[in-house]
């Protein structure tokens, strides 16, 4: 292994991902759990993509966004779970610095793109419920393509910026990352460079990264709920709410766990809890997507 010297310190060429735990008796159950989750996630999201593409009745803006969400969830899971499954099988928890940066880059791209795509889906539901007469003109295919493309491009740009700054950090020990994937906070804890400026930059970028799409989504649902409350009949209220209940559930699960993860102090006592919530929003949220839209959506069940 090649090594470089900087300020009399040996630079790291690989990290050790400590994973979900060291107990040997838990490795097999955790492997089976992750394998099941990954299999169901991939099958469920790919099934939704196939159903929407092949059924003409589902060629609407809402399901166009759903196809892209399922594509994101598929990529999202594939950045973390295959590496985690391999470590359970082989016992090798090491990952090269380059591999760690690549995982961090793709994870950041898909996570940020999902924030913006959920915001675009909330706008779609807002127009459908609050401005139904303008829906056809506001949510035409050109607008839908622009919203989806914008979600992917913004995720790519923000993740590229953050990853480029983190990759310039010098890592000279210790080599253990107390997590099951390469995430920003545990990575910066291992840096022997001055991380003050990059932490400020990450806080600044967190606004276009997470805060803005979250606030936009929140504002959309405040308007949606206010519009639903003004509907006179209970049947009309139920019908209007049913059109956005699946997406609202996804928003609550995704942002709820995301906020808990990044609001929890990174103390030794709370690290296991932090990893548990991280596991939920990175691994279980992509699993929930096909279950919510498959079990709660009559049109998807009809297409199936």
């Amino acid at each position: 292994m090649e090594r470089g010297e900087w300020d009399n310190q040996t630079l790291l060429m690989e990290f050790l991902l400590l994973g979900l735990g060291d107990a040997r008796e838990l490795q097999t159950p955790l492997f089976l759990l992750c394998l099941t989750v990954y299999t169901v996630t991939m099958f469920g999201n790919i099934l939704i993509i196939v159903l929407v593409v092949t059924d003409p009745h589902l060629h609407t803006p809402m399901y166009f966004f759903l196809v892209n969400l399922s594509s994101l969830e598929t990529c999202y899971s594939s950045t973390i779970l295959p590496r985690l499954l391999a470590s359970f099988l082989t016992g090798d928890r090491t990952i090269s610095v380059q591999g760690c940066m690549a995982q961090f880059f793709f994870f950041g791209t898909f996570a940020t793109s999902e924030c913006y795509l959920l915001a675009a889906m909330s706008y779609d539901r807002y127009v459908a419920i609050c401005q139904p007469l303008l829906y056809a003109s506001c949510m035409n295919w050109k607008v839908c393509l622009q919203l989806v493309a914008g979600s992917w491009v913004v995720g790519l740009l923000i993740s590229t910026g953050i990853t480029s700054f983190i990759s310039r950090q010098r890592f000279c020990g210790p080599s253990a990352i107390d997590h099951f994937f390469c995430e920003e906070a545990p990575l910066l804890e291992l840096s022997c460079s001055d991380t003050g400026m990059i932490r400020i930059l990450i806080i600044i970028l967190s606004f276009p990264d997470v805060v803005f799409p979250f606030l936009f989504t929140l504002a959309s649902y405040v308007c949606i709920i206010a519009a639903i409350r003004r509907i006179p009949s209970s049947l009309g209220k139920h019908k209007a709410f049913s059109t956005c209940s699946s997406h609202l559930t996804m928003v609550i699960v995704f942002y709820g766990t995301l906020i808990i993860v990044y609001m929890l102090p990174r103390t030794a006592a709370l690290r296991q809890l932090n990893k548990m919530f991280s596991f939920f929003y990175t691994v279980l949220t992509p699993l929930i997507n096909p279950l919510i839209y498959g079990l709660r959506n009559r049109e998807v069940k009809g297409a199936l």
Side-chain angles (χ1 to χ4, degrees), residues 125-145:
R125 294 299 84 204
Y126 163 78
V127 177
I129 293 173
C130 301
Q131 307 287 338
L133 298 179
L134 300 176
Y135 185 78
S137 59
C138 289
M139 297 305 297
N140 56 57
W141 286 110
K142 181 181 178 180
V143 172
C144 293
L145 285 170

Side-chain angles (χ1 to χ4, degrees), residues 140-184:
N140 56 57
W141 286 110
K142 181 181 178 180
V143 172
C144 293
L145 285 170
Q146 289 173 339
L147 289 173
V148 168
S151 300
W152 285 89
V153 169
V154 171
L156 182 64
L157 291 177
I158 293 177
S159 183
T160 299
I162 295 177
T163 305
S164 65
F165 281 103
I166 290 183
S167 63
R168 293 175 188 171
Q169 298 290 298
R170 297 190 181 262
F171 302 97
C172 45
S175 63
I177 297 177
D178 191 11
H179 219 302
F180 58 90
F181 71 103
C182 293
E183 198 187 18
E184 159 227 315

Side-chain angles (χ1 to χ4, degrees), residues 60-303:
T60 63
M62 184 175 75
Y63 292 105
F64 174 69
F65 290 125
L66 179 58
V67 163
N68 282 274
L69 180 62
S70 294
S71 302
L72 264 178
E73 302 287 27
T74 302
C75 299
Y76 197 59
S77 296
S78 298
T79 62
I80 296 173
L81 278 174
R83 179 68 188 79
L84 187 59
L85 289 169
S87 69
F88 285 134
L89 275 180
T90 63
D92 181 13
R93 297 181 180 182
T94 60
I95 182 171
S96 67
V97 173
Q98 293 83 359
C100 191
M101 291 302 155
Q103 186 184 59
F104 177 80
F105 168 75
F106 286 112
F107 166 76
T109 298
F110 299 134
T112 304
S113 297
E114 181 160 348
C115 290
Y116 277 87
L117 188 60
L118 289 174
M121 294 174 77
S122 70
Y123 175 70
D124 172 71
R125 294 299 84 204
Y126 163 78
V127 177
I129 293 173
C130 301
Q131 307 287 338
L133 298 179
L134 300 176
Y135 185 78
S137 59
C138 289
M139 297 305 297
N140 56 57
W141 286 110
K142 181 181 178 180
V143 172
C144 293
L145 285 170
Q146 289 173 339
L147 289 173
V148 168
S151 300
W152 285 89
V153 169
V154 171
L156 182 64
L157 291 177
I158 293 177
S159 183
T160 299
I162 295 177
T163 305
S164 65
F165 281 103
I166 290 183
S167 63
R168 293 175 188 171
Q169 298 290 298
R170 297 190 181 262
F171 302 97
C172 45
S175 63
I177 297 177
D178 191 11
H179 219 302
F180 58 90
F181 71 103
C182 293
E183 198 187 18
E184 159 227 315
L187 269 174
L188 290 181
E189 289 174 1
L190 303 184
S191 173
C192 50
S193 303
D194 181 12
T195 61
M197 286 302 297
I198 193 171
R199 290 181 188 276
I200 293 173
L201 178 67
I202 288 172
I203 291 173
I204 294 171
L205 287 178
S206 70
F207 283 87
D209 187 357
V210 176
V211 177
F212 289 166
F214 171 69
L215 292 178
F216 183 88
T217 304
L218 184 63
S220 297
Y221 271 102
V222 168
C223 295
I224 288 170
I225 292 171
I228 291 175
R229 286 173 59 87
R230 290 195 295 268
I231 297 175
S233 69
S234 57
L235 181 62
K237 289 180 180 178
H238 176 75
K239 185 176 180 181
F241 184 75
S242 66
T243 64
C244 61
S245 59
S246 297
H247 177 255
L248 180 59
T249 305
M250 277 294 299
V251 168
I252 292 172
V253 170
F254 180 76
Y255 278 112
T257 52
L258 188 66
I259 290 169
I260 291 173
V261 166
Y262 289 102
M263 290 298 289
L264 276 177
R266 291 197 59 81
T267 60
L270 294 175
R271 283 193 177 180
Q272 286 302 118
L273 187 62
N274 186 287
K275 282 196 281 187
M276 184 183 74
F277 282 109
S278 294
F279 185 82
F280 199 95
Y281 93 87
T282 59
V283 175
L284 296 184
T285 301
L287 171 68
I288 292 172
N289 175 46
L291 295 179
I292 289 175
Y293 281 98
L295 296 177
R296 296 182 54 133
N297 193 294
R298 287 182 298 176
E299 291 178 307
V300 171
K301 287 191 287 187

Side-chain angles (χ1 to χ4, degrees), residues 5-16:
E5 293 295 322
W6 180 71
D7 286 353
N8 297 323
Q9 292 178 309
T10 304
L11 299 184
L12 297 176
M13 301 302 292
E14 61 184 19
F15 296 118
L16 177 67

